[in-house]
Structures are given as structure tokens and as C-alpha cells.
Amino acid sequence: MNKFEEAAQGAEPVDAQLRQGKSFVVAVDGPSGSGKSSVSKAVAKRLGLAFLDTGAMYRGLTWHCLNAGFDLNNAAMVEAAARTIKLEQSMEPESEFVRVNGVNVTTAIREPEISASVSTVATNLGARAELVRRQQAIIAEYNHRIVVEGRDITTVVAPGAEARLILTASEEARLRRRGLQLGGTQTAEQLAEQVLARDAKDSSVVDFQRAADGVYTVDSSELDFVQTVEAVIAVIRQAINADPPA
């Protein structure tokens, strides 16, 4: 966690009074390396909301299939795994854990092997439909007061969310951020595969880089972490005040 993330994570939930007692779903989409996970966590804390990282669900399913020796190209097998797998994860923005069938995979699902394989699982339409169903059930379980981030949240998972936005950044910024996140352990080719190639694969089943009607866009290319969080909070305030996107 860098100094900007630490500052944002340490902030008090000063905006927690927004829409008290009412539905308050914030849907965040965006490409790899845009910062949507860390920004969404900070926003959830600021707003006093639960937080759901849907990408962790796809990664957890990918880990399960690889660990079991499944062929990821066997669509029926992957879909069946999606229906039977037990997934548990933290819904608190201050903490992070993911368990698959009782096994803690919080760190394992971020390994390069998973990053290289997750798009095959994420583009399996049957598995995707099952995880979308689970995601919508989680939103209901948390009384529709939650920040949900991923790639099809604004249009498929929570199209009726009170605030919907795409968090994006330039290709250069996204590659640089992912490289820093991984501690400089990846080559330029590996970073391009994890960020650009994965986006291209996932785009075959969902358009997460262009804002649909009613969806705001926040471009963080020239913003630091704290500035990005503030920009997202400003967009959320605009959305719940029923102002149309510019």
C-alpha cells in the first residue's frame, strides 16, 4: 500500500450519512490497472458501505479449477464448478480474505498463473451467469448498501445502482501502476499480457471500457490515489442528486 492509499484508507467515513436508511449501491467498472479495486475500497470506507471485489470471485474459481486439474477450455466442467464451489470473501473494505471450499486463497489468487488464466474462466458464459447471480444475491444480502467493482457491474450486475461509473486511465498509466503493484517483478511483455491482453479477451463478453447511458466516467491518468478517490466521491454525489453525466 503506497502513501496515498494509506491516507485514504485512514480517513474517517465522513460521507456515511449519505442516503441513510435507503438503497445505496455504487457500481464501478474499469480496465485492468485502472485502480478500481483500491479506489473502490477507499470509497466504500468513506461512504460506510460494504465492498465486493467481483474479480476475486473469478480468480477464486480459476484457482479452484486449476487446483483440481480441470481443463479450463472444458466449458461444461468450469460452469459446473461455478455452481458447486463454496466462495467466501470479506465484505469489509478494511480487510481482505478469500476462501475457496474453506481454503484461504487470498494470496494465491493474485499469482501470475491465475492472472494468466482468469480470462478463460471469466469468458465462460455459464460460469459468468452463475457468478453474476451470486453477486446480485450478495448485494441483496447487504441491503443494497455496497460498493461493487468489476467489469460488468454497471450494465449487468447492478444496472439499477444509485451511482454507476467507469474508472479508467491511459494505457501508459495502467501499465505503470500494475508494474508498481507487482513490485517490479514482471517484464514489459508480462505486464502487457496481464493488462492489455486480458482486457482484450474479457471485452469479447462485456464492454467495460465505454460508459453506457447514465454511467459516469472518471479518468485517473493524471490523478494520484487521493485525488482519484475524491473525484469518484464527487461523481457519486452528482449521481445521487440526479444530475445527468456530462
Side-chain angles (χ1 to χ4, degrees):
M1 182 181 293
N2 62 38
K3 62 181 180 179
F4 299 118
E5 291 175 318
E6 289 173 353
Q9 290 290 351
E12 293 300 317
V14 295
D15 296 295
Q17 73 276 13
L18 292 175
R19 293 188 60 82
Q20 282 190 336
K22 298 179 181 179
S23 175
F24 193 1
V25 177
V26 179
V28 183
D29 285 332
S32 299
S34 62
K36 62 183 182 295
S37 293
S38 53
V39 169
S40 293
K41 285 182 184 179
V43 168
K45 185 172 182 180
R46 276 277 299 272
L47 299 176
L49 302 176
F51 166 73
L52 174 60
D53 175 357
T54 64
M57 299 176 75
Y58 289 100
R59 286 174 172 271
L61 177 58
T62 303
W63 179 90
H64 169 68
C65 290
L66 291 176
N67 188 61
F70 295 165
D71 178 1
L72 297 186
N73 293 308
N74 185 325
M77 183 176 290
V78 173
E79 180 178 349
R83 295 183 185 281
T84 57
I85 188 175
K86 182 180 181 181
L87 280 169
E88 302 169 90
Q89 62 191 110
S90 171
M91 298 297 156
E92 298 294 332
E94 297 91 346
S95 62
E96 179 182 6
F97 72 79
V98 181
R99 287 193 288 264
V100 172
N101 296 330
V103 178
N104 188 327
V105 297
T106 308
T107 301
I109 63 172
R110 305 298 174 183
E111 293 295 326
E113 180 186 16
I114 303 301
S115 297
S117 303
V118 66
S119 283
T120 303
V121 170
T123 53
N124 179 307
L125 296 182
R128 196 170 194 92
E130 170 58 19
L131 292 189
V132 167
R133 183 196 66 77
R134 294 189 186 212
Q135 290 154 18
Q136 291 172 335
I138 290 171
I139 293 172
E141 179 183 350
Y142 282 82
N143 299 314
H144 295 85
R145 293 189 61 81
I146 189 170
V147 176
V148 187
E149 64 92 355
R151 294 175 182 267
D152 59 355
I153 313 304
T154 62
T155 55
V156 178
V157 177
E162 281 67 34
R164 298 183 295 153
L165 64 102
I166 286 180
L167 180 59
T168 190
S170 68
E171 181 178 304
E172 178 185 7
R174 293 189 290 117
L175 288 170
R176 182 180 68 251
R177 291 170 183 172
R178 182 53 58 86
L180 290 172
Q181 181 185 30
L182 295 173
T185 60
Q186 305 292 295
T187 66
E189 291 76 15
Q190 288 172 321
L191 283 175
E193 176 65 26
Q194 287 194 26
V195 176
L196 307 180
R198 182 186 169 194
D199 285 347
K201 292 176 184 176
D202 289 357
S203 291
S204 67
V205 296
V206 60
D207 187 353
F208 54 89
Q209 302 199 60
R210 292 185 298 177
D213 289 345
V215 177
Y216 295 77
T217 298
V218 174
D219 188 331
S220 68
S221 301
E222 304 300 324
L223 304 178
D224 64 32
F225 187 84
V226 170
Q227 290 170 334
T228 303
V229 172
E230 293 300 332
V232 170
I233 292 289
V235 162
I236 292 170
R237 285 183 174 276
Q238 187 177 2
I240 64 176
N241 287 327
D243 293 334

